[in-house]
Amino acid sequence: MSLSVQFLSLLAMIGTGIVAAAFIDMIGTGTAHAGKKSIVRRHAASLEVIGWILAGCGTFYVLYTVRDGAWRIYDPFAQLSGLFLYASFFHKPFRFLGKAILVLFLKPLWFVIHAIVSLVLFICRCVWKVLSLLVTPFVKIFRKLYSNLFKSREK
């Protein structure tokens, strides 16, 4: 294995450390901002464990892609340095990027989806009320004429 390939794999492992730290930070921020009685808050520990498992699987996928799964002794140190790099330098830019994505893309998308669902439900309610209004006289007539039809007769 040449020196350049080793250097690139070292950079890849540092990158996986940065991405893993950002992913875990995203999970922690999401659970912290969830409601007090929310299901996300109640299962925060299990979500974080699942996040760590997914980060580990992603790391091994990168390791498999870059070096055909060959593990070196400096890989954990590279990942730790990636975690520390995220904590010291990349924390604020990633948070800013996350807030920008939330404000520019996710909230407008949520608004559009919510507006469409509300419109469809409003139309369904209006159709239901109109049908109910049209059917009500017939139901009343049926109940008056055939109210004794299903009653049991005593002997």
Side-chain angles (χ1 to χ4, degrees):
M1 180 182 268
S2 68
L3 193 60
S4 63
V5 171
Q6 285 184 3
F7 181 69
L8 289 176
S9 66
L10 177 72
L11 288 180
M13 293 312 289
I14 291 172
T16 59
I18 292 170
V19 170
F23 183 63
I24 297 302
D25 185 39
M26 179 187 70
I27 291 173
T29 303
T31 56
H33 289 289
K36 296 282 185 198
K37 295 182 180 180
S38 120
I39 194 167
V40 173
R41 179 71 68 95
R42 279 184 280 168
H43 297 291
S46 59
L47 287 173
E48 194 157 341
V49 168
I50 290 170
W52 278 108
I53 290 170
L54 288 174
C57 290
T59 297
F60 280 112
Y61 176 74
V62 169
L63 188 65
Y64 184 75
T65 304
V66 171
R67 274 191 270 152
D68 295 328
W71 186 80
R72 303 281 187 247
I73 194 68
Y74 57 81
D75 288 338
F77 298 114
Q79 277 206 305
L80 277 175
S81 65
L83 290 169
F84 291 140
L85 274 171
Y86 175 78
S88 59
F89 295 115
F90 297 120
H91 179 74
K92 288 184 181 178
F94 270 71
R95 286 279 178 104
F96 177 75
L97 184 66
K99 285 180 184 177
I101 289 172
L102 182 69
V103 169
L104 294 176
F105 297 112
L106 295 179
K107 284 196 176 183
L109 182 67
W110 174 251
F111 176 75
V112 168
I113 290 171
H114 188 265
I116 290 171
V117 168
S118 297
L119 183 66
V120 167
L121 287 175
F122 177 74
I123 290 171
C124 288
R125 279 191 214 113
C126 287
V127 167
W128 180 256
K129 285 183 181 184
V130 167
L131 288 176
S132 175
L133 185 67
L134 292 175
V135 171
T136 301
F138 297 110
V139 170
K140 286 185 179 180
I141 292 171
F142 180 80
R143 284 187 182 158
K144 271 198 177 212
L145 291 176
Y146 299 105
S147 64
N148 296 328
L149 186 63
F150 295 109
K151 289 186 179 178
S152 63
R153 299 179 189 180
E154 292 183 30
K155 293 184 180 182

